[in-house]
Amino acid sequence: MTEPFLLVQLSDPHIGATWVDADPVARLAAAVEAVRAMRPAADAVIISGDLADHAAEAEYERLRALISPLEAPIYVLPGNHDDRAALRHYFEVPRGAGEPIQYAVDLGPLRLVVLDTTAPGQDSGVLDAERLAWLDSELATASDKPTLVAMHHPPLHAGLPALDEIGLAVADRRALGEVIERHPQVRRLVAGHMHRTISGALAGRTVLAAPSTYVQARLDFSSHDLQFTTEPPAFAVHAVLDGEVLSHVRVVEPT
């Protein structure tokens, strides 16, 4: 059998956070060690937003040190807790002060397209006409390459009030779906933000919101208040095999 291409997705490490009685540094370090122990080894890693909790320089410096043992190429995208200028300073992402951080990378058997859903100063996500036009154009340049589109805010309705209130608006999800529908090479849409594993669909493609390496949100279909659980940190692994994308979630035993 052909060996799979493995894209690891770490999400929402929130370095610097003190939301619960758990250390985001220790939990990310445990996730990194779990990734390092994978066989075959990860071919690439994406961190899908909220790298830091306060967008402080010390938090980004700590995160860079924590992920430095990873030998695979690392790609990042902004979350609502991040600062675009700081990401541009500490990581190799496209330049352009204040502009959305959006780019595409050819990973061999998979094309990774990063879409910025953040709006400075707000927790909920935004996909305006300009960003969607960029995505439409970018997807059109490689219509025959299996593609994974990554963003921070998942384009799905979770059914959890506390999470849906800080998600993507219905109109933005619908507009994104119209773009995705035109590009059959898109195999998967992945995101973070929800702090728990949630799967859904958009335009007939699977959407996966990955869990956090820090803390998970409680499964509560009635509360408008965000609450957290004792569930362990986790991350996603997207395996590309014969042109198809299979997504797994790996739970990490915290230290």
Side-chain angles (χ1 to χ4, degrees), residues 164-187:
D164 286 329
E165 287 168 6
I166 57 172
L168 275 175
V170 173
D172 290 1
R173 298 199 306 266
R174 185 179 298 118
L176 175 60
E178 291 173 357
V179 172
I180 297 300
E181 200 166 23
R182 292 194 285 271
H183 302 281
Q185 80 274 19
V186 175
R187 300 287 195 269

Side-chain angles (χ1 to χ4, degrees), residues 9 14 59 65 69 85 103 113 120 124 176 178 193 254-255:
Q9 181 187 359
H14 284 273
E59 293 172 349
Y103 57 94
V113 178
S124 56
L176 175 60
E178 291 173 357
H193 190 56
T255 58

Side-chain angles (χ1 to χ4, degrees), residues 5-219:
F5 176 94
L6 301 179
L7 172 64
V8 167
Q9 181 187 359
L10 304 174
S11 198
D12 298 85
H14 284 273
I15 299 303
T18 55
W19 302 357
V20 296
D21 185 21
D23 182 4
V25 168
R27 290 189 161 202
L28 178 58
V32 167
E33 285 308 303
V35 173
R36 281 168 47 82
M38 286 174 49
R39 295 295 180 271
D43 294 288
V45 175
I46 183 166
I47 308 178
S48 50
D50 284 353
L51 286 70
D53 196 56
H54 307 96
E57 290 187 6
E59 293 172 349
Y60 289 113
E61 289 171 354
R62 190 69 184 275
L63 183 131
R64 277 174 56 95
L66 288 166
I67 64 175
S68 62
L70 295 172
E71 297 179 355
I74 299 172
Y75 304 97
V76 303
L77 59 86
N80 49 290
H81 280 253
D82 289 312
D83 178 77
R84 290 172 180 166
L87 289 188
R88 289 188 167 102
H89 177 73
Y90 286 101
F91 301 94
E92 293 183 7
V93 295
R95 302 296 164 184
E99 297 175 358
I101 293 177
Q102 304 188 143
Y103 57 94
V105 184
D106 189 341
L107 299 178
L110 182 71
R111 190 165 187 252
L112 172 65
V113 178
V114 169
L115 182 64
D116 191 336
T117 59
T118 64
Q122 70 180 54
D123 290 331
S124 56
V126 170
L127 280 176
D128 54 33
E130 186 175 353
R131 297 185 214 192
L132 291 170
W134 175 88
L135 177 65
D136 200 14
S137 175
E138 196 62 46
L139 291 175
T141 64
S143 60
D144 60 343
K145 171 80 76 170
T147 298
L148 182 144
V149 178
M151 62 200 76
H152 183 64
H153 299 81
L156 51 74
H157 178 65
L160 308 178
L163 297 178
D164 286 329
E165 287 168 6
I166 57 172
L168 275 175
V170 173
D172 290 1
R173 298 199 306 266
R174 185 179 298 118
L176 175 60
E178 291 173 357
V179 172
I180 297 300
E181 200 166 23
R182 292 194 285 271
H183 302 281
Q185 80 274 19
V186 175
R187 300 287 195 269
R188 185 79 80 251
L189 295 95
V190 304
H193 190 56
M194 297 295 189
H195 284 253
R196 63 176 303 104
T197 305
I198 304 175
S199 66
L202 182 76
R205 321 305 159 79
T206 298
V207 176
L208 180 71
S212 169
T213 63
Y214 173 39
V215 67
Q216 314 308 335
R218 184 179 300 280
L219 183 63

